[in-house]
Amino acid sequence: MSKELAELMFPDIDKTPEYYEELYPKRNLPEGAIVTRFAPSPTGFIHMGSLFTANFASRMAAQTNGVYFLRIEDTDGKREIDNGISAIINGLKVFDVQFDEGPTDDDGNEKGIYGPYIQSNRKHIYQAFAKSLVEKGLAYPCFCTEEQLNNLRTVQESLKVLPGYYGTYAHCRNISEEEAIEKIKNGDRFVVRLRSNGNPMKKVKYHDLIKGNIEFPENIQDIVIIKSDGLPTYHFAHAIDDHLMRTTHVIRGDEWVSSVPLHLQLFEMLGFEVPNYVHVAPIMKEEDGSKRKISKRKDPEASASYYKENGIPKESVIDYLMNIANSNFEDWRRENPLASVDEFKVSIEKMGVSGAIFDLVKLADVSKNVIATFTAEKVYDEGLKWAKEYDKELADLMEKYKENTIAMLDIERTGNKIRKDISKWSDLRENLEYMYDELYFSKEREYEWQSITDPNEIKTILAKYMEIYSDSDDKDTWFNKIKDLAESLGYAREVKEYKKNPENFKGHVGDISTVIRVAITSRRNTPDLYAILKILTKDRIQDRVNKLKI
Ligand code: GLU
Ligand code: ZN
Protein backbone atom coordinates (compact mmCIF):
# COMPACT_ATOMS: atom_id res chain seq x y z
CA MET A 1 0.00 0.00 0.00
CA SER A 2 2.64 2.54 1.01
CA LYS A 3 4.14 2.02 -2.38
CA GLU A 4 1.05 3.35 -4.04
CA LEU A 5 1.01 6.35 -1.72
CA ALA A 6 4.70 7.00 -2.32
CA GLU A 7 4.18 6.76 -6.07
CA LEU A 8 1.34 9.23 -5.95
CA MET A 9 3.32 11.65 -3.82
CA PHE A 10 6.40 11.51 -6.04
CA PRO A 11 5.27 10.46 -9.53
CA ASP A 12 8.35 11.92 -11.23
CA ILE A 13 10.88 10.13 -9.08
CA ASP A 14 12.23 6.96 -10.63
CA LYS A 15 15.58 6.69 -8.87
CA THR A 16 16.13 4.88 -5.60
CA PRO A 17 18.47 5.63 -2.69
CA GLU A 18 20.65 2.72 -3.88
CA TYR A 19 21.14 4.51 -7.18
CA TYR A 20 22.52 7.56 -5.42
CA GLU A 21 24.65 5.48 -3.06
CA GLU A 22 26.38 4.13 -6.12
CA LEU A 23 26.52 7.42 -7.95
CA TYR A 24 28.35 9.05 -5.02
CA PRO A 25 30.84 6.43 -3.88
CA LYS A 26 32.77 6.59 -0.65
CA ARG A 27 35.77 8.83 -1.05
CA ASN A 28 39.11 7.22 -1.45
CA LEU A 29 41.16 9.32 0.95
CA PRO A 30 44.05 8.69 3.31
CA GLU A 31 43.30 7.62 6.87
CA GLY A 32 42.33 10.59 9.00
CA ALA A 33 41.41 12.83 6.06
CA ILE A 34 38.68 15.28 6.99
CA VAL A 35 35.94 15.99 4.49
CA THR A 36 34.03 19.07 5.50
CA ARG A 37 32.07 21.88 4.02
CA PHE A 38 30.87 25.45 4.11
CA ALA A 39 27.11 25.53 3.69
CA PRO A 40 25.84 29.10 3.50
CA SER A 41 22.59 30.50 2.22
CA PRO A 42 23.31 32.65 -0.81
CA THR A 43 22.64 35.95 0.92
CA GLY A 44 25.97 37.32 -0.29
CA PHE A 45 26.78 38.45 3.23
CA ILE A 46 29.76 36.85 4.94
CA HIS A 47 29.59 37.12 8.70
CA MET A 48 32.90 37.12 10.56
CA GLY A 49 31.64 34.14 12.55
CA SER A 50 31.28 32.25 9.26
CA LEU A 51 34.74 33.30 8.16
CA PHE A 52 36.07 32.16 11.53
CA THR A 53 34.48 28.74 11.05
CA ALA A 54 35.38 28.53 7.35
CA ASN A 55 39.01 29.40 7.99
CA PHE A 56 39.20 26.74 10.67
CA ALA A 57 37.35 24.09 8.64
CA SER A 58 39.35 24.62 5.45
CA ARG A 59 42.59 24.30 7.42
CA MET A 60 41.42 21.10 9.08
CA ALA A 61 40.66 19.66 5.64
CA ALA A 62 43.91 20.85 4.09
CA GLN A 63 46.19 19.65 6.84
CA THR A 64 44.67 16.15 6.77
CA ASN A 65 44.75 15.96 2.95
CA GLY A 66 40.99 15.97 3.02
CA VAL A 67 38.39 17.93 1.09
CA TYR A 68 36.72 21.27 1.71
CA PHE A 69 33.64 21.91 -0.36
CA LEU A 70 31.05 24.60 -0.79
CA ARG A 71 27.37 23.76 -0.71
CA ILE A 72 24.79 26.43 -1.33
CA GLU A 73 21.76 26.07 0.91
CA ASP A 74 19.11 27.86 -1.06
CA THR A 75 16.01 25.91 -0.16
CA ASP A 76 14.64 28.97 1.58
CA GLY A 77 14.09 31.14 -1.50
CA LYS A 78 13.43 34.31 0.47
CA ARG A 79 17.03 34.75 1.45
CA GLU A 80 18.61 34.76 -1.97
CA ILE A 81 20.25 37.67 -3.74
CA ASP A 82 21.62 38.05 -7.24
CA ASN A 83 25.29 37.09 -7.49
CA GLY A 84 24.98 35.48 -4.08
CA ILE A 85 27.22 32.59 -4.98
CA SER A 86 30.07 34.55 -6.50
CA ALA A 87 29.79 37.05 -3.64
CA ILE A 88 30.47 34.20 -1.23
CA ILE A 89 33.25 32.65 -3.29
CA ASN A 90 34.98 35.97 -3.86
CA GLY A 91 34.37 37.15 -0.32
CA LEU A 92 36.14 34.10 1.05
CA LYS A 93 38.87 34.15 -1.56
CA VAL A 94 39.87 37.55 -0.21
CA PHE A 95 40.95 35.67 2.90
CA ASP A 96 42.51 32.79 0.95
CA VAL A 97 39.70 30.39 1.84
CA GLN A 98 39.23 28.24 -1.26
CA PHE A 99 37.20 25.20 -2.07
CA ASP A 100 38.20 21.88 -3.56
CA GLU A 101 34.66 21.26 -4.77
CA GLY A 102 31.47 23.17 -5.27
CA PRO A 103 29.97 25.93 -7.40
CA THR A 104 32.56 28.12 -9.06
CA ASP A 105 30.26 30.98 -10.17
CA ASP A 106 26.62 32.00 -10.52
CA ASP A 107 26.26 30.30 -13.87
CA GLY A 108 25.90 26.78 -12.58
CA ASN A 109 29.51 25.74 -13.15
CA GLU A 110 30.85 23.38 -10.53
CA LYS A 111 33.85 21.26 -9.76
CA GLY A 112 33.70 17.90 -8.03
CA ILE A 113 31.77 14.68 -8.62
CA TYR A 114 29.50 14.89 -5.60
CA GLY A 115 27.28 17.61 -7.02
CA PRO A 116 25.04 19.29 -7.74
CA TYR A 117 26.33 21.45 -4.90
CA ILE A 118 23.40 23.82 -4.96
CA GLN A 119 20.53 22.39 -2.97
CA SER A 120 17.76 23.65 -5.23
CA ASN A 121 19.30 21.51 -7.98
CA ARG A 122 19.14 18.43 -5.77
CA LYS A 123 15.39 18.33 -5.38
CA HIS A 124 15.08 14.96 -7.13
CA ILE A 125 17.65 13.45 -4.77
CA TYR A 126 15.86 14.53 -1.59
CA GLN A 127 12.60 13.34 -3.04
CA ALA A 128 13.99 9.92 -3.88
CA PHE A 129 14.96 9.44 -0.24
CA ALA A 130 11.68 10.87 1.00
CA LYS A 131 9.82 8.54 -1.34
CA SER A 132 11.69 5.58 0.05
CA LEU A 133 10.87 6.65 3.61
CA VAL A 134 7.19 6.85 2.70
CA GLU A 135 7.37 3.39 1.16
CA LYS A 136 8.77 2.07 4.39
CA GLY A 137 6.11 3.84 6.41
CA LEU A 138 8.74 6.13 7.98
CA ALA A 139 7.30 9.31 6.52
CA TYR A 140 3.84 10.46 5.57
CA PRO A 141 2.00 13.27 3.84
CA CYS A 142 0.50 15.97 6.04
CA PHE A 143 -2.38 18.00 4.67
CA CYS A 144 -2.83 20.33 7.65
CA THR A 145 -3.50 23.91 6.71
CA GLU A 146 -1.84 26.93 8.25
CA GLU A 147 -5.05 27.50 10.16
CA GLN A 148 -5.18 23.98 11.56
CA LEU A 149 -1.59 24.27 12.71
CA ASN A 150 -2.37 27.61 14.40
CA ASN A 151 -5.30 26.04 16.18
CA LEU A 152 -3.09 23.21 17.32
CA ARG A 153 -0.67 25.73 18.80
CA THR A 154 -3.48 27.50 20.65
CA VAL A 155 -4.77 24.25 22.08
CA GLN A 156 -1.30 23.20 23.19
CA GLU A 157 -0.71 26.60 24.80
CA SER A 158 -3.92 26.39 26.77
CA LEU A 159 -3.11 22.84 27.86
CA LYS A 160 0.44 23.94 28.68
CA VAL A 161 1.93 20.98 26.86
CA LEU A 162 4.98 20.80 24.63
CA PRO A 163 4.16 22.57 21.37
CA GLY A 164 4.64 20.86 18.04
CA TYR A 165 3.47 18.13 15.71
CA TYR A 166 3.92 14.90 17.60
CA GLY A 167 2.14 11.92 19.16
CA THR A 168 -1.61 12.35 19.36
CA TYR A 169 -1.33 15.94 18.13
CA ALA A 170 0.12 14.69 14.85
CA HIS A 171 -3.22 14.50 13.10
CA CYS A 172 -2.10 13.27 9.69
CA ARG A 173 0.16 10.62 11.19
CA ASN A 174 -2.94 8.64 11.86
CA ILE A 175 -5.09 9.14 8.80
CA SER A 176 -5.52 6.03 6.70
CA GLU A 177 -3.58 5.55 3.51
CA GLU A 178 -6.82 5.41 1.59
CA GLU A 179 -7.71 8.84 2.90
CA ALA A 180 -4.26 10.18 2.08
CA ILE A 181 -4.41 8.72 -1.42
CA GLU A 182 -7.80 10.26 -1.97
CA LYS A 183 -6.64 13.67 -0.85
CA ILE A 184 -3.65 13.57 -3.16
CA LYS A 185 -5.80 12.46 -6.07
CA ASN A 186 -8.03 15.34 -5.17
CA GLY A 187 -5.06 17.68 -5.60
CA ASP A 188 -4.71 18.67 -1.92
CA ARG A 189 -1.38 20.26 -1.07
CA PHE A 190 0.83 18.43 1.36
CA VAL A 191 4.15 18.46 3.12
CA VAL A 192 6.07 15.32 4.00
CA ARG A 193 6.66 14.59 7.67
CA LEU A 194 8.97 12.16 9.37
CA ARG A 195 7.21 9.49 11.42
CA SER A 196 9.37 10.02 14.49
CA ASN A 197 10.29 6.92 16.41
CA GLY A 198 11.61 8.95 19.35
CA ASN A 199 10.79 8.19 22.94
CA PRO A 200 10.51 11.27 25.18
CA MET A 201 11.67 9.27 28.17
CA LYS A 202 14.90 8.26 26.47
CA LYS A 203 18.05 10.30 26.03
CA VAL A 204 20.40 10.45 23.06
CA LYS A 205 24.04 10.81 23.87
CA TYR A 206 26.64 12.00 21.46
CA HIS A 207 30.17 13.23 21.53
CA ASP A 208 30.81 16.62 19.99
CA LEU A 209 34.45 17.10 19.09
CA ILE A 210 34.44 20.59 20.60
CA LYS A 211 31.68 20.52 23.19
CA GLY A 212 32.35 17.02 24.51
CA ASN A 213 29.63 14.64 25.65
CA ILE A 214 26.13 15.96 25.18
CA GLU A 215 22.83 14.44 26.23
CA PHE A 216 19.39 15.43 24.98
CA PRO A 217 15.95 13.82 25.05
CA GLU A 218 15.15 11.97 21.84
CA ASN A 219 13.30 13.85 19.15
CA ILE A 220 9.59 13.13 19.14
CA GLN A 221 8.46 15.75 16.63
CA ASP A 222 7.20 14.61 13.26
CA ILE A 223 9.20 17.30 11.55
CA VAL A 224 8.64 18.38 7.99
CA ILE A 225 11.26 16.89 5.70
CA ILE A 226 9.85 18.06 2.36
CA LYS A 227 7.98 21.35 2.14
CA SER A 228 4.92 21.91 -0.02
CA ASP A 229 7.14 23.37 -2.77
CA GLY A 230 8.90 20.01 -2.96
CA LEU A 231 12.13 21.34 -1.45
CA PRO A 232 13.65 19.85 1.69
CA THR A 233 13.96 21.48 5.08
CA TYR A 234 17.45 22.22 6.42
CA HIS A 235 17.41 19.11 8.59
CA PHE A 236 16.55 16.66 5.84
CA ALA A 237 18.93 18.24 3.35
CA HIS A 238 21.71 18.13 5.95
CA ALA A 239 21.29 14.38 6.43
CA ILE A 240 21.04 13.56 2.72
CA ASP A 241 23.77 15.91 1.53
CA ASP A 242 26.34 15.28 4.21
CA HIS A 243 25.84 11.57 3.72
CA LEU A 244 26.00 11.56 -0.08
CA MET A 245 28.81 14.10 -0.22
CA ARG A 246 30.64 11.85 2.20
CA THR A 247 31.26 14.53 4.81
CA THR A 248 33.28 13.16 7.70
CA HIS A 249 33.03 16.24 9.95
CA VAL A 250 30.05 18.55 10.18
CA ILE A 251 31.74 21.76 11.28
CA ARG A 252 29.05 24.37 11.87
CA GLY A 253 27.76 27.03 14.24
CA ASP A 254 26.65 25.85 17.65
CA GLU A 255 23.10 27.14 17.17
CA TRP A 256 22.57 23.67 15.66
CA VAL A 257 23.57 21.72 18.76
CA SER A 258 20.01 21.29 19.96
CA SER A 259 18.98 19.87 16.58
CA VAL A 260 21.46 17.01 16.83
CA PRO A 261 18.96 14.51 18.34
CA LEU A 262 16.78 15.05 15.28
CA HIS A 263 19.74 14.76 12.95
CA LEU A 264 20.89 11.54 14.59
CA GLN A 265 17.39 10.19 14.23
CA LEU A 266 17.34 11.09 10.55
CA PHE A 267 20.69 9.41 9.94
CA GLU A 268 19.44 6.30 11.71
CA MET A 269 16.10 6.14 9.90
CA LEU A 270 17.82 6.69 6.58
CA GLY A 271 20.37 4.00 7.38
CA PHE A 272 23.33 6.38 7.18
CA GLU A 273 26.55 6.36 9.13
CA VAL A 274 26.68 9.34 11.49
CA PRO A 275 29.36 11.99 10.78
CA ASN A 276 31.45 13.68 13.46
CA TYR A 277 29.89 16.82 14.83
CA VAL A 278 32.05 19.84 15.50
CA HIS A 279 30.00 22.75 16.82
CA VAL A 280 31.83 26.04 16.81
CA ALA A 281 30.84 28.71 19.33
CA PRO A 282 30.04 32.15 17.91
CA ILE A 283 32.55 34.97 18.13
CA MET A 284 31.65 37.44 20.84
CA LYS A 285 32.03 41.10 21.59
CA GLU A 286 32.75 42.47 25.02
CA GLU A 287 30.65 45.48 25.77
CA ASP A 288 30.14 47.24 29.11
CA GLY A 289 31.60 44.25 30.90
CA SER A 290 29.31 41.66 29.36
CA LYS A 291 29.63 39.36 26.39
CA ARG A 292 27.27 39.12 23.45
CA LYS A 293 27.36 37.62 19.98
CA ILE A 294 28.79 39.86 17.28
CA SER A 295 25.76 41.09 15.43
CA LYS A 296 25.32 41.82 11.78
CA ARG A 297 22.89 44.56 12.69
CA LYS A 298 24.86 46.35 15.41
CA ASP A 299 28.51 45.75 14.58
CA PRO A 300 30.09 46.83 11.33
CA GLU A 301 33.01 44.50 12.08
CA ALA A 302 30.60 41.54 11.81
CA SER A 303 30.86 41.78 8.05
CA ALA A 304 33.88 40.36 6.25
CA SER A 305 33.73 43.35 3.91
CA TYR A 306 34.55 45.71 6.80
CA TYR A 307 38.19 44.59 6.70
CA LYS A 308 38.60 45.30 3.03
CA GLU A 309 37.04 48.73 3.39
CA ASN A 310 39.28 49.66 6.29
CA GLY A 311 42.34 48.24 4.64
CA ILE A 312 43.08 45.58 7.21
CA PRO A 313 45.19 43.04 5.34
CA LYS A 314 43.86 39.52 5.02
CA GLU A 315 47.04 38.20 6.65
CA SER A 316 46.17 40.18 9.78
CA VAL A 317 42.58 39.02 9.87
CA ILE A 318 43.60 35.39 9.41
CA ASP A 319 46.33 35.64 12.04
CA TYR A 320 43.83 37.11 14.45
CA LEU A 321 41.22 34.46 13.69
CA MET A 322 43.88 31.81 14.32
CA ASN A 323 44.69 33.56 17.57
CA ILE A 324 41.17 33.25 18.86
CA ALA A 325 40.70 29.74 17.46
CA ASN A 326 43.74 28.13 19.03
CA SER A 327 45.37 29.87 21.98
CA ASN A 328 48.78 28.37 21.21
CA PHE A 329 48.89 30.24 17.91
CA GLU A 330 50.13 33.43 19.55
CA ASP A 331 53.26 31.75 20.94
CA TRP A 332 53.84 29.98 17.65
CA ARG A 333 53.60 33.27 15.79
CA ARG A 334 56.02 34.93 18.19
CA GLU A 335 58.53 32.20 17.49
CA ASN A 336 57.81 32.14 13.75
CA PRO A 337 57.04 35.73 12.78
CA LEU A 338 57.76 35.19 9.11
CA ALA A 339 56.30 31.72 8.63
CA SER A 340 53.23 31.18 6.51
CA VAL A 341 50.16 30.61 8.61
CA ASP A 342 49.73 27.32 6.69
CA GLU A 343 52.61 25.90 8.69
CA PHE A 344 50.63 26.12 11.91
CA LYS A 345 48.67 22.97 12.75
CA VAL A 346 45.17 23.86 13.92
CA SER A 347 43.49 21.55 16.35
CA ILE A 348 39.86 20.88 17.13
CA GLU A 349 40.66 20.14 20.78
CA LYS A 350 42.05 23.62 21.29
CA MET A 351 38.86 25.31 20.09
CA GLY A 352 37.03 27.02 22.93
CA VAL A 353 33.74 25.57 24.13
CA SER A 354 32.32 29.03 24.68
CA GLY A 355 32.57 31.95 22.31
CA ALA A 356 35.94 33.61 21.75
CA ILE A 357 36.14 37.36 22.23
CA PHE A 358 36.72 39.18 18.99
CA ASP A 359 38.30 42.54 19.70
CA LEU A 360 39.24 45.16 17.13
CA VAL A 361 41.94 46.64 19.39
CA LYS A 362 43.64 43.28 19.66
CA LEU A 363 43.25 42.78 15.93
CA ALA A 364 45.00 46.13 15.30
CA ASP A 365 47.82 44.94 17.52
CA VAL A 366 48.17 41.69 15.62
CA SER A 367 47.97 43.61 12.38
CA LYS A 368 50.83 45.95 13.33
CA ASN A 369 53.04 42.94 13.82
CA VAL A 370 51.90 41.37 10.59
CA ILE A 371 52.49 44.54 8.57
CA ALA A 372 55.88 44.92 10.24
CA THR A 373 56.92 41.75 8.40
CA PHE A 374 55.94 43.16 4.98
CA THR A 375 58.51 44.67 2.65
CA ALA A 376 58.13 48.35 1.78
CA GLU A 377 57.10 47.30 -1.72
CA LYS A 378 54.34 45.10 -0.38
CA VAL A 379 53.10 47.84 1.93
CA TYR A 380 53.15 50.17 -1.05
CA ASP A 381 51.37 47.75 -3.39
CA GLU A 382 48.69 46.69 -0.94
CA GLY A 383 48.25 50.19 0.39
CA LEU A 384 47.91 51.57 -3.11
CA LYS A 385 45.36 48.92 -4.05
CA TRP A 386 43.30 49.94 -1.05
CA ALA A 387 43.76 53.67 -1.67
CA LYS A 388 42.68 53.40 -5.29
CA GLU A 389 39.34 52.22 -4.07
CA TYR A 390 38.89 54.19 -0.87
CA ASP A 391 41.21 57.25 -0.92
CA LYS A 392 41.71 58.41 -4.46
CA GLU A 393 43.69 61.52 -3.52
CA LEU A 394 46.18 59.47 -1.55
CA ALA A 395 46.43 56.89 -4.34
CA ASP A 396 47.31 59.60 -6.86
CA LEU A 397 50.07 60.93 -4.63
CA MET A 398 51.42 57.48 -3.93
CA GLU A 399 51.67 56.85 -7.64
CA LYS A 400 53.09 60.26 -8.47
CA TYR A 401 55.80 59.92 -5.82
CA LYS A 402 56.25 56.21 -5.98
CA GLU A 403 59.97 56.11 -5.28
CA ASN A 404 59.80 58.52 -2.34
CA THR A 405 56.79 56.74 -0.93
CA ILE A 406 58.51 53.37 -0.99
CA ALA A 407 61.63 54.96 0.51
CA MET A 408 59.50 56.44 3.27
CA LEU A 409 57.78 53.11 3.94
CA ASP A 410 61.17 51.44 3.98
CA ILE A 411 62.43 53.47 6.94
CA GLU A 412 62.96 51.22 9.97
CA ARG A 413 61.58 48.20 8.18
CA THR A 414 64.62 46.07 8.89
CA GLY A 415 67.09 45.87 11.76
CA ASN A 416 66.34 45.61 15.43
CA LYS A 417 64.03 48.57 15.76
CA ILE A 418 61.17 47.83 13.36
CA ARG A 419 58.46 50.40 13.03
CA LYS A 420 54.96 49.30 13.99
CA ASP A 421 52.99 52.41 13.18
CA ILE A 422 50.71 50.90 10.54
CA SER A 423 47.87 48.56 11.44
CA LYS A 424 45.70 49.17 8.40
CA TRP A 425 45.97 50.85 5.02
CA SER A 426 43.68 53.61 6.15
CA ASP A 427 46.54 54.63 8.53
CA LEU A 428 48.70 55.41 5.50
CA ARG A 429 47.28 58.85 4.92
CA GLU A 430 48.39 59.97 8.35
CA ASN A 431 51.70 58.17 7.99
CA LEU A 432 52.55 59.65 4.62
CA GLU A 433 50.89 63.03 4.88
CA TYR A 434 54.03 65.01 5.67
CA MET A 435 55.89 63.47 2.77
CA TYR A 436 53.57 65.06 0.22
CA ASP A 437 53.58 68.86 -0.01
CA GLU A 438 50.13 68.66 -1.57
CA LEU A 439 48.75 67.24 1.66
CA TYR A 440 51.15 68.90 4.04
CA PHE A 441 50.30 72.43 2.98
CA SER A 442 46.65 71.73 2.30
CA LYS A 443 45.73 72.70 5.82
CA GLU A 444 46.91 74.75 8.78
CA ARG A 445 49.46 72.62 10.61
CA GLU A 446 49.43 72.19 14.32
CA TYR A 447 52.94 71.83 15.62
CA GLU A 448 53.47 69.56 18.56
CA TRP A 449 56.32 71.52 20.13
CA GLN A 450 57.84 69.86 23.14
CA SER A 451 60.39 71.25 25.62
CA ILE A 452 61.41 74.20 23.47
CA THR A 453 58.39 76.37 22.79
CA ASP A 454 59.76 79.90 22.61
CA PRO A 455 59.16 81.10 19.02
CA ASN A 456 62.38 83.09 18.90
CA GLU A 457 64.43 80.19 20.10
CA ILE A 458 62.78 77.92 17.55
CA LYS A 459 63.46 80.38 14.75
CA THR A 460 67.09 80.71 15.79
CA ILE A 461 67.58 76.95 15.90
CA LEU A 462 66.03 76.46 12.47
CA ALA A 463 67.89 79.34 10.85
CA LYS A 464 71.21 78.06 12.10
CA TYR A 465 70.32 74.53 11.18
CA MET A 466 69.59 75.43 7.59
CA GLU A 467 73.04 77.02 7.36
CA ILE A 468 74.74 73.76 8.20
CA TYR A 469 72.35 71.19 6.72
CA SER A 470 73.60 69.37 3.64
CA ASP A 471 71.86 66.65 1.64
CA SER A 472 75.14 64.84 1.18
CA ASP A 473 75.93 64.31 4.87
CA ASP A 474 76.09 60.77 6.09
CA LYS A 475 74.21 59.94 9.23
CA ASP A 476 77.10 60.50 11.63
CA THR A 477 78.05 63.80 10.08
CA TRP A 478 74.40 64.80 10.12
CA PHE A 479 74.03 64.04 13.78
CA ASN A 480 77.36 65.61 14.74
CA LYS A 481 76.20 68.82 13.13
CA ILE A 482 73.11 68.81 15.32
CA LYS A 483 75.32 68.23 18.33
CA ASP A 484 77.56 71.11 17.33
CA LEU A 485 74.51 73.31 16.89
CA ALA A 486 73.19 72.26 20.29
CA GLU A 487 76.46 73.08 21.96
CA SER A 488 76.79 76.45 20.24
CA LEU A 489 73.36 77.46 21.55
CA GLY A 490 73.98 76.34 25.12
CA TYR A 491 72.47 72.83 25.00
CA ALA A 492 74.23 69.64 26.03
CA ARG A 493 75.75 67.55 23.20
CA GLU A 494 74.61 64.38 24.97
CA VAL A 495 71.52 63.61 27.00
CA LYS A 496 73.73 61.91 29.63
CA GLU A 497 75.80 65.04 30.02
CA TYR A 498 72.66 67.09 30.53
CA LYS A 499 71.27 64.71 33.12
CA LYS A 500 74.41 64.96 35.19
CA ASN A 501 74.31 68.77 35.36
CA PRO A 502 71.01 70.10 34.08
CA GLU A 503 71.70 73.52 35.60
CA ASN A 504 74.58 74.03 33.15
CA PHE A 505 72.41 73.77 30.03
CA LYS A 506 69.28 75.14 28.37
CA GLY A 507 68.45 71.57 27.41
CA HIS A 508 70.06 68.85 25.33
CA VAL A 509 70.63 67.69 21.77
CA GLY A 510 67.34 65.76 21.78
CA ASP A 511 65.44 69.00 22.29
CA ILE A 512 67.13 70.43 19.23
CA SER A 513 66.34 67.49 17.01
CA THR A 514 62.77 67.54 18.25
CA VAL A 515 62.44 71.14 17.11
CA ILE A 516 63.70 70.10 13.69
CA ARG A 517 61.39 67.11 13.54
CA VAL A 518 58.31 69.07 14.57
CA ALA A 519 59.13 72.00 12.29
CA ILE A 520 59.48 69.74 9.25
CA THR A 521 56.76 67.14 9.86
CA SER A 522 54.53 68.95 12.39
CA ARG A 523 54.61 65.89 14.60
CA ARG A 524 56.63 64.72 17.52
CA ASN A 525 56.81 61.02 16.59
CA THR A 526 58.09 59.90 13.24
CA PRO A 527 60.36 57.16 12.01
CA ASP A 528 64.04 58.03 11.72
CA LEU A 529 64.42 61.79 11.15
CA TYR A 530 67.64 61.53 9.16
CA ALA A 531 65.96 59.23 6.64
CA ILE A 532 62.97 61.53 6.35
CA LEU A 533 65.09 64.62 5.73
CA LYS A 534 67.09 62.69 3.14
CA ILE A 535 63.92 61.93 1.23
CA LEU A 536 62.60 65.47 1.51
CA THR A 537 65.91 67.15 0.50
CA LYS A 538 67.11 70.60 1.45
CA ASP A 539 64.88 72.67 -0.83
CA ARG A 540 61.71 71.24 0.60
CA ILE A 541 63.05 71.43 4.16
CA GLN A 542 63.93 75.08 3.62
CA ASP A 543 60.50 75.70 2.18
CA ARG A 544 58.85 74.25 5.28
CA VAL A 545 61.05 76.34 7.55
CA ASN A 546 60.12 79.44 5.56
CA LYS A 547 56.42 78.69 5.72
CA LEU A 548 56.43 77.85 9.41
CA LYS A 549 54.01 80.04 11.29
CA ILE A 550 54.96 80.65 14.90
N1 GLU B 1 22.78 26.79 5.93
C1 GLU B 1 23.11 26.55 7.31
C2 GLU B 1 23.43 27.87 7.96
O1 GLU B 1 23.75 28.81 7.25
C3 GLU B 1 24.30 25.64 7.36
C4 GLU B 1 24.57 25.04 8.66
C5 GLU B 1 25.55 23.89 8.41
O2 GLU B 1 26.72 24.16 8.25
O3 GLU B 1 25.08 22.76 8.35
O4 GLU B 1 23.35 28.00 9.15
ZN1 ZN C 1 -1.34 17.18 9.00
Side-chain angles (χ1 to χ4, degrees), residues 219-475:
N219 171 60
I220 57 164
Q221 303 278 346
D222 284 0
I223 60 124
V224 174
I225 56 174
I226 302 282
K227 299 179 288 182
S228 58
D229 58 5
L231 284 168
T233 52
Y234 166 76
H235 307 293
F236 195 57
H238 154 53
I240 304 294
D241 291 347
D242 282 316
H243 172 66
L244 292 181
M245 294 175 175
R246 310 296 173 179
T247 301
T248 63
H249 289 64
V250 174
I251 303 179
R252 64 183 177 189
D254 70 1
E255 68 273 21
W256 296 108
V257 168
S258 59
S259 303
V260 173
L262 165 61
H263 298 164
L264 293 176
Q265 186 180 43
L266 282 166
F267 277 87
E268 186 211 305
M269 291 175 78
L270 288 159
F272 298 161
E273 200 182 315
V274 177
N276 291 293
Y277 281 108
V278 185
H279 285 106
V280 179
I283 55 171
M284 312 288 280
K285 183 171 174 123
E286 204 153 30
E287 205 177 51
D288 310 326
S290 62
K291 278 173 43 161
R292 62 165 176 82
K293 282 192 205 174
I294 291 208
S295 126
K296 172 174 168 177
R297 209 164 37 80
K298 290 191 216 152
D299 311 310
E301 72 268 30
S303 165
S305 58
Y306 170 89
Y307 303 86
K308 183 167 176 268
E309 285 154 22
N310 285 275
I312 302 173
K314 64 174 182 199
E315 291 89 341
S316 305
V317 175
I318 294 300
D319 257 39
Y320 185 52
L321 291 181
M322 296 297 275
N323 240 315
I324 61 174
N326 280 189
S327 57
N328 55 326
F329 180 80
E330 207 168 346
D331 286 342
W332 177 86
R333 179 48 94 202
R334 207 171 296 123
E335 281 155 31
N336 305 279
L338 298 176
S340 154
V341 65
D342 299 339
E343 285 171 36
F344 179 78
K345 282 246 173 299
V346 278
S347 103
I348 297 183
E349 296 77 49
K350 292 206 168 69
M351 291 289 279
V353 172
S354 60
I357 298 283
F358 183 90
D359 172 13
L360 286 175
V361 176
K362 187 78 212 283
L363 167 61
D365 229 46
V366 167
S367 192
K368 278 180 190 164
N369 287 318
V370 169
I371 293 177
T373 67
F374 289 3
T375 61
E377 286 76 14
K378 178 158 177 163
V379 173
Y380 177 84
D381 290 344
E382 298 288 318
L384 180 60
K385 220 190 291 163
W386 172 85
K388 278 184 172 167
E389 204 166 334
Y390 300 100
D391 189 346
K392 190 76 182 75
E393 183 185 31
L394 179 67
D396 290 346
L397 292 166
M398 286 176 80
E399 282 187 303
K400 184 167 170 196
Y401 304 111
K402 177 169 177 179
E403 214 178 302
N404 272 357
T405 305
I406 294 178
M408 169 63 184
L409 294 171
D410 202 34
I411 302 173
E412 288 171 17
R413 201 147 278 285
T414 49
N416 43 17
K417 191 184 150 221
I418 301 205
R419 71 196 272 188
K420 294 192 176 167
D421 54 349
I422 307 171
S423 73
K424 50 186 184 312
W425 307 135
S426 49
D427 290 344
L428 281 178
R429 174 177 269 270
E430 221 199 295
N431 273 279
L432 293 172
E433 193 181 34
Y434 56 86
M435 298 310 290
Y436 305 130
D437 287 349
E438 288 89 333
L439 292 183
Y440 193 73
F441 293 118
S442 70
K443 64 175 188 215
E444 204 65 42
R445 310 301 319 173
E446 273 179 35
Y447 295 90
E448 303 174 1
W449 303 114
Q450 301 299 303
S451 35
I452 304 176
T453 52
D454 172 27
N456 288 324
E457 184 75 351
I458 291 170
K459 279 182 200 157
T460 306
I461 293 168
L462 293 172
K464 295 214 176 281
Y465 186 60
M466 290 321 295
E467 283 170 22
I468 53 171
Y469 180 85
S470 160
D471 284 331
S472 55
D473 289 341
D474 64 22
K475 192 160 183 180

Side-chain angles (χ1 to χ4, degrees), residues 1-16 127 130-132 134-136 177 181 184-185 190:
M1 261 306 256
S2 297
K3 226 175 156 66
E4 189 189 345
L5 177 60
E7 202 50 49
L8 266 177
M9 288 168 74
F10 300 104
D12 304 329
I13 298 300
D14 56 358
K15 302 279 193 295
T16 61
Q127 294 195 355
K131 185 173 184 178
S132 146
V134 173
E135 280 171 12
K136 293 180 190 150
E177 280 193 20
I181 287 171
I184 292 172
K185 284 189 175 154
F190 63 87

